[in-house]
Amino acid sequence: MIEAPPALDDPPPHGLTSAEVTARIAAGQTNAVDERTSRTVKEIVQANVFTRFNAILAVLAVAVLTTGRLADALFAGVLVINAVIGIGQEVRAKRTLDKLALLNAPTAAVMRDGSETAVPLGEIVLGDLVVLRSGDEVPADGIVAHRSGLEVNESALTGESDPVEKQEGDSVLSGTIVVAGRGRFQATAVGADAYARKLAAEVKVFKRTRSEIEVSIDVLLRVITWAIVGVTPLLLWSQFRTNDSGDWRDAVTGTVAALVGMVPEGLVLLTSVAFLLAALALTKRQVLVQELPAVEGLARVDVVCLDKTGTLTAGDIVFDALHVVDPALIDEATVTEALGALADAPDPNASLGAIGERFLPTDGWDRDGDVPFSSGRKWSAASFGRRGSWYLGAPEVLLVDGDPLRERVSELAATGRRVLIVQHVDGPLQGEVLPAGRTSATLCTLAEQVRPDAAETLRYFADQGVAIKVISGDNPTTVGAIATQVGLDAGTPVDARTLGDTAEDLAEAVATTTVFGRVSPKQKQAMVRALQDDGHVVAMTGDGVNDALALKDADIGVAMGNGAPATKAAAQLVLLDGQFSRLPNVLAEGRRVIGNIERVASLFISKNTYSFMLILLVSIAGLPYPFAPRHLTLISFVTIGLPAFCLAFAPNTARYRPGFLRRVLSFAIPAGVISSLTIFAAYLAAEIEDLDKHERQTAATIAALCVSLWILAVLARPYNRWKLALIWAMAAIAVAAIAIPFVRDFFELDIPATFLPQALAIGGVGAIGIELVGRFSSRWSDRIPG
């Protein structure tokens, strides 16, 4: 049972005065809460600098500095560069995204100094008289002071989806949605004191978008961390045991080199920066990303549920024609006057707005009662004294079974027009009960303009293997006609009133049907859940309050910029200009992020794998670690550091396939094992040839460059000019490091000319192994259950 918020003094009808508002702001009695769409600059710096892997690298850098071998501490410079790049990119993205979020921040209407004014939600103060209209999300807790047909959906808090009619003196709670009518309430609990805020803090009721990439990388990082902790004692023991020179500095640098190789220092940075830059790119296409993982999430979507109005159609409804039923009973003049009076409502919906543009109110029609439109009822009504009560709504609801007008409605709906019926009855309204004896006065058709980009957008989704479900509150025949116009195979549209309203009831129908009409808000929500229960990743698009619940439950909610406030609040993505054609850009951006991060993760994990395997191999064989830290700095820069940045932000149109972590590991682990065996073989061969320490390390470095460059070559496919240029440039840098004397001396690279072909041959054999892994890894991963 939800407790009602405490009542304050009776609110004056004119609302608070400016002086009262100022005093309450000074007292901190505002609706502002500490919720941000992005981190502060301080948090960004802390997140990029104070990480567990940065801490490990910092300790290792200090250890190297104690040896006096400054060149072996170059990896610390990479740490600093990564942090600077990450901070710079996130701050840049933060400023842009925060500015856009501020420009599109939701507002509420309040009564102050006797007039209605719009204020940001955070500026509502305790005692404010807040105006509510259909489509609003209630911004604070309060007591209803005035109402007219006010109905609120409280499912976000109670789980009950049926609208609750509110009377004066009833409580309303923040986070609930106005689905019908209008009213005003006095705010009695704001900010952190509001019920929804307390509930969110206590039970975390509101979920955030799940990111497969973030979850997978977090798993990898935990495993790597424990691997580093577990292998460090073995590594220290083996390096000091095999230190034949007696120089403790060799053992320290060998230990540091091995541990540095296991640290994926750039993986988290590239993942977070990739999300941010993707969100930044989408802002240029008028898409506001309210949760960064949603960029990736839409790439995983395989079903998109669309509302017809505002998505397939432009949402601008215009009056089309009247079809008077029987002029002898109710003539056209009376019908037009009645329509003008009905449209002269305090808070008209889109249909009444279109009618009001065609029919103006006339004298003698004084409204003395009304029932506002509700998506659940699908009709509205008003009474006008001696002129009786007039009903406007869906013919399927207002017409009795067997009425011959139903056939005429079907004929008109088949043309793609929205059909409404006007009925009259003598006497006053009977609340939400439809009285018997209603006389049908006219059919009224409204026209909607099909979006010119809808057909192309739907073709794109079809080409990408994404299924479409059109779920609308309109007549199923009308919806089917519109769907056919935009190229969908509508099949036989289904009237959702013939179905149940639970996920179980709708599972079979939603799996086999494309177009649904007369869908209630509760059914939209249940359809989303039914698709999810069937294993689908679902996106829901919409603009009306009747879409808000389904958007909240969908994996990805996409709201139109001109949609209801509650709809935009529930969505992860907002199409600011309301253009349906923006969705392919979002899908493509998500797929680019997933595909590129998968490549980058494979690069890093293959390096982590061969570093770990090398520790085991040299420990078992009783050999020193084959690299100094400076060698790994060279290898990492040439084969991972710069290439990873290039690949992370490159175009990528590959389709999404589930199993990100499975595919990364199916390539990276065998590639890492082959790399470690190749490097160990080169080092062991140099040991057998009785080469000195620097020569053995150079042989291992050459082998490592060969296999690592081939890993890069495999992961960069399919090739284009810039990718080929990248690979050749990295290979040229590797050759230059060995061929140019002063560079060679800096990295302590030296190898006899007689052994160079042997080192290259060993590296070449390893590259062949990497090629075989690259060709068969996707086949192996597809055979493994997800």
Side-chain angles (χ1 to χ4, degrees), residues 186-258:
Q186 185 187 28
T188 57
V190 294
D193 293 330
Y195 179 82
R197 303 291 185 189
K198 292 179 179 177
L199 187 63
E202 291 172 6
V203 300
K204 306 296 184 186
V205 68
F206 300 112
K207 68 180 181 70
R208 292 188 64 81
T209 306
R210 175 186 175 273
S211 167
E212 182 185 8
I213 288 179
E214 290 182 332
V215 171
S216 299
I217 288 179
D218 188 57
V219 170
L220 291 174
L221 295 182
R222 287 202 304 270
V223 172
I224 291 169
T225 300
W226 284 111
I228 290 174
V229 171
V231 82
T232 298
L234 173 64
L235 182 62
L236 286 168
W237 173 78
S238 68
Q239 292 308 292
F240 278 95
R241 181 173 65 89
T242 59
N243 184 19
D244 296 332
S245 67
D247 188 343
W248 64 272
R249 294 179 299 176
D250 289 343
V252 169
T253 54
T255 301
V256 169

Side-chain angles (χ1 to χ4, degrees), residues 736-749:
I738 299 170
I740 298 175
F742 75 90
V743 180
R744 183 174 65 236
D745 293 343
F746 177 82
F747 284 105
E748 293 185 347
L749 298 172

Side-chain angles (χ1 to χ4, degrees), residues 66-87:
T66 62
T67 69
R69 299 175 178 178
L70 300 184
D72 283 328
L74 275 177
F75 64 86
V78 175
L79 181 154
V80 174
I81 292 171
N82 279 346
V84 169
I85 291 173
I87 292 169

Side-chain angles (χ1 to χ4, degrees), residues 169 182 332 379 420 583 674 682 760:
R182 56 199 175 276
E332 185 170 345
W379 56 268
L420 301 175
L583 279 181
I674 290 173
L760 289 171

Side-chain angles (χ1 to χ4, degrees), residues 48 84 94 104 132 137-138 143 177 231 274 296 325 487 531 579 634 692 726 749 771:
N48 283 274
V84 169
K94 165 190 167 55
N104 293 275
L132 294 178
E137 182 171 353
V138 180
I143 303 295
I177 299 170
V231 82
E296 172 215 332
V325 176
L531 289 166
Q579 295 297 316
L634 172 65
D692 65 28
L726 173 68
L749 298 172
E771 178 65 26

Side-chain angles (χ1 to χ4, degrees), residues 431-518:
E432 297 180 20
V433 177
L434 288 172
R438 301 184 309 278
T439 301
S440 296
T442 186
L443 297 176
C444 178
T445 54
L446 306 175
E448 297 181 75
Q449 180 184 359
V450 174
R451 288 188 181 274
D453 53 10
E456 183 179 353
T457 303
L458 293 178
R459 278 196 303 272
Y460 174 85
F461 281 123
D463 292 342
Q464 297 298 316
V466 177
I468 299 294
K469 304 290 181 182
V470 182
I471 51 179
S472 172
D474 211 338
N475 182 294
T477 306
T478 300
V479 181
I482 295 293
T484 301
Q485 287 182 43
V486 296
L488 277 179
D489 181 7
T492 302
V494 170
D495 189 328
R497 292 174 304 153
T498 63
L499 308 173
D501 57 8
T502 68
E504 293 76 16
D505 294 336
L506 297 165
E508 182 178 353
V510 82
T512 57
T513 304
T514 300
V515 176
F516 297 86
R518 297 304 180 206

